[in-house]
Amino acid sequence: MKKKSEDVLDEANSLCESDRDLEAEVLVKKQLEHDSENLELLTKLAYIQSRLCRDSEAETTFRFVISRDSSSEDAVCGLGRLLDQSLRTEEAEKLYRDFLNNNPPGHCAFEDLCRLLLSEGRADEALTLGRKHAKLYGDQLHAFDGIRYVLLILEDQIKSELDDNPESELVFFSLLDTLFEQLDVVSKIEENVETPEVLLSDLADDRVRLQGDIVELLQSALGHGISVPDDYQKRLSNYN
């Protein structure tokens, strides 16, 4: 990429962060007059068009980028989200799956696919795929993004179910297992040598929250007539 275009992309990103999308669009279009084949500039333009609610233009631009470079994950994710938001869910799912078939591991596209599946009520499928993806690419930092998102959403859903039916052993242990699985994921990410300090700090916060939630849940069991095997307490002690 030409150095000038790199500068333009940086400036456009800053403008978008300040909600100055129209200015960013003018800037990117002007640079495209001199660097018309720059796919990163075109992808950025598509994102800006999407932010400006010009979905038809954004779709056309995203598809043009993908036609030139089918491995452009940024363009695929941008188009997939646009399609999903437009209730063209089947098209979005096919786009993600086709991309992942040809460009594994594709962590961003995979996380977006998990989000789509959850929004469609296909939580079991999202959970199965998330676990498989993390197992296949566990040495890569972002391989756990999908499963982390899935487990967090499931945690919220199960907590709501438990609030409605606090004496249900099935729901109780489902929540307990989900919290422990999140702890396992946090530990695996922490073990990755490439994990940056800022993420390690966030993970430490997650660990504290999850351990606290588990302790609170275990303490509530007796009051609801639920007997918890000693193995759970031993498992929790392994994280201390």
Side-chain angles (χ1 to χ4, degrees):
M1 192 195 313
K2 297 179 181 179
K3 186 67 170 74
K4 177 63 177 177
S5 293
E6 291 179 353
D7 293 340
V8 167
L9 278 170
D10 289 341
E11 188 174 349
N13 287 332
S14 295
L15 288 169
C16 288
E17 288 174 2
S18 301
D19 293 325
R20 296 161 64 185
D21 299 329
L22 287 172
E23 294 177 60
E25 181 185 28
V26 171
L27 182 68
V28 171
K29 282 186 172 180
K30 185 175 181 179
Q31 181 60 18
L32 281 167
E33 293 175 3
H34 307 287
D35 194 6
S36 60
E37 297 299 313
N38 191 308
L39 297 183
E40 289 189 57
L41 281 174
L42 285 164
T43 301
K44 186 61 186 179
L45 176 61
Y47 272 101
I48 294 170
Q49 290 168 333
S50 178
R51 285 167 60 93
L52 292 170
C53 298
R54 298 210 294 266
D55 291 356
S56 180
E57 292 179 39
E59 180 176 347
T60 298
T61 307
F62 278 131
R63 290 194 184 280
F64 177 80
V65 174
I66 295 170
S67 71
R68 294 295 184 91
D69 180 12
S70 61
S71 65
S72 175
E73 189 168 10
D74 285 343
V76 167
C77 288
L79 178 58
R81 293 166 194 167
L82 185 65
L83 294 172
D84 192 18
Q85 291 165 7
S86 302
L87 303 182
R88 296 160 63 185
T89 308
E90 291 183 5
E91 291 180 61
E93 181 177 351
K94 184 178 186 305
L95 178 72
Y96 290 137
R97 289 188 182 277
D98 288 347
F99 176 82
L100 289 166
N101 284 337
N102 296 314
N103 302 277
H107 303 312
C108 175
F110 181 78
E111 183 178 358
D112 281 357
L113 175 60
C114 287
R115 290 173 183 269
L116 182 152
L117 293 173
L118 284 173
S119 70
E120 291 292 294
R122 296 155 64 184
D124 288 344
E125 185 177 354
L127 186 58
T128 299
L129 288 176
R131 288 168 174 163
K132 180 179 179 181
H133 190 82
K135 184 176 181 179
L136 283 172
Y137 307 108
D139 59 331
Q140 299 178 30
L141 183 59
H142 294 288
F144 297 93
D145 290 352
I147 189 63
R148 285 188 77 194
Y149 178 80
V150 172
L151 289 170
L152 186 61
I153 296 301
L154 288 179
E155 177 192 340
D156 287 341
Q157 293 176 353
I158 300 169
K159 279 182 176 178
S160 180
E161 292 178 28
L162 192 61
D163 286 341
D164 293 337
N165 192 4
E167 296 182 355
S168 170
E169 289 194 4
L170 179 63
V171 179
F172 176 92
F173 284 108
S174 179
L175 177 56
L176 191 56
D177 289 338
T178 298
L179 293 171
F180 269 114
E181 186 169 358
Q182 288 183 78
L183 264 182
D184 290 340
V185 169
V186 166
S187 296
K188 289 175 183 176
I189 301 174
E190 289 175 330
E191 293 168 1
N192 191 311
V193 295
E194 296 181 0
T195 305
E197 287 297 325
V198 63
L199 180 54
L200 286 173
S201 178
D202 290 341
L203 291 170
D205 291 340
D206 284 349
R207 176 186 289 274
V208 170
R209 179 191 70 81
L210 289 165
Q211 289 175 315
D213 285 353
I214 290 172
V215 169
E216 184 178 344
L217 188 61
L218 290 174
Q219 290 175 344
S220 73
L222 185 60
H224 296 297
I226 297 174
S227 177
V228 181
D230 292 339
D231 289 349
Y232 281 100
Q233 191 63 53
K234 293 177 181 177
R235 186 177 176 185
L236 178 61
S237 66
N238 290 333
Y239 292 101
N240 296 325

